[in-house]
Amino acid sequence: MVESDEGDILNAITRHDPDALVLLYDRYGRIAFGLAYRILGDAATAEEVVQDAFMSVWRRAEGFDASRGSCRSWLLSIVHNRAIDQLRGRFGKRRGEIDFDALAPLLAGPDVWSEVLAGLRAETVRAALKSLPEEQRRAIDLAYFEGLTQQEIAERTGAPLGTVKSRMRLGLRKLHDELTASVSEGIDGGDDGR
């Protein structure tokens, strides 16, 4: 499917054209993930929410009403609602329905080590992000957590596109160096069993 406007894309999705869904995902997948991740704070769950939202669009594209807003806002409202439902524990469950996959870890007992390790990793990444200069941290935040392109970041911040690209490149390089150093310190400074 060639690049076209949202109405054409949704009409093609209504006709079950998989290329149209791919095009819609290419346009809005990153920002949808950024929104879900902001709400949920968990990448895997955010990916599930986004996948579910796009499948909902696939099943109900004919229900889209252009007079009520853009396709983007419709999709993002679906993502938002699904993420909130996920937070409230109602995602995909009907009254009286038991999610045995979610129950299994509770029955097996807590995996404290994986929770501690995930917390340490998140803390390490947060600390590394805080060590970046404000402009670099803001560019990375807008790209990875809000799903904006470099052009969109330039428009939002008023900085030239080349400056945004440089900030992201330098920030990611510093972030990589910081995280690599912290992993090395963890290995070198760890308990050697003596």
Side-chain angles (χ1 to χ4, degrees):
M1 174 173 204
V2 294
E3 191 81 16
S4 57
D5 73 10
E6 292 177 343
D8 293 338
I9 294 170
L10 285 173
N11 287 335
I13 290 173
T14 302
R15 295 187 309 272
H16 296 289
D17 178 352
D19 292 336
L21 188 64
V22 169
L23 182 57
L24 188 68
Y25 184 83
D26 287 346
R27 276 194 187 174
Y28 301 124
R30 284 182 29 187
I31 194 163
F33 174 79
L35 174 62
Y37 185 81
R38 274 271 171 173
I39 294 168
L40 297 166
D42 177 69
T45 308
E47 286 174 8
E48 290 174 21
V49 164
V50 169
Q51 180 181 3
D52 185 62
F54 275 92
M55 290 310 299
S56 180
V57 168
W58 177 256
R59 289 187 302 268
R60 298 184 303 167
E62 66 278 351
F64 172 70
D65 182 2
S67 68
R68 297 182 66 196
S70 69
C71 175
R72 174 184 168 166
S73 62
W74 181 55
L75 172 65
L76 293 179
S77 70
I78 293 170
V79 171
H80 180 267
N81 291 336
R82 296 275 201 258
I84 296 299
D85 285 346
Q86 178 69 32
L87 280 178
R88 293 179 180 158
R90 296 184 315 199
F91 188 80
K93 294 187 183 79
R94 292 181 186 91
R95 183 181 273 278
E97 192 175 293
I98 298 172
D99 182 356
F100 288 105
D101 290 333
L103 191 57
L106 297 174
L107 297 174
D111 182 6
V112 177
W113 175 245
S114 64
E115 290 176 18
V116 169
L117 185 59
L120 290 173
R121 286 182 183 151
E123 188 176 310
T124 302
V125 171
R126 277 193 295 273
L129 278 169
K130 285 181 182 176
S131 73
L132 296 178
E134 175 62 30
E135 299 84 14
Q136 294 170 7
R137 183 173 55 246
R138 175 95 170 118
I140 291 171
D141 181 55
L142 289 171
Y144 290 96
F145 299 119
E146 292 192 29
L148 300 182
T149 65
Q150 291 177 339
Q151 181 64 45
E152 291 168 331
I153 294 168
E155 291 168 6
R156 183 176 291 184
T157 62
L161 180 59
T163 301
V164 170
K165 289 180 177 185
S166 295
R167 287 175 180 168
M168 294 220 26
R169 185 178 59 254
L170 291 171
L172 289 172
R173 185 176 300 143
K174 287 178 186 176
L175 195 58
H176 173 269
D177 292 346
E178 184 76 27
L179 292 172
T180 302
S182 77
V183 168
S184 295
E185 289 172 12
I187 292 171
D188 295 339
D191 184 2
D192 62 5
R194 286 188 252 171

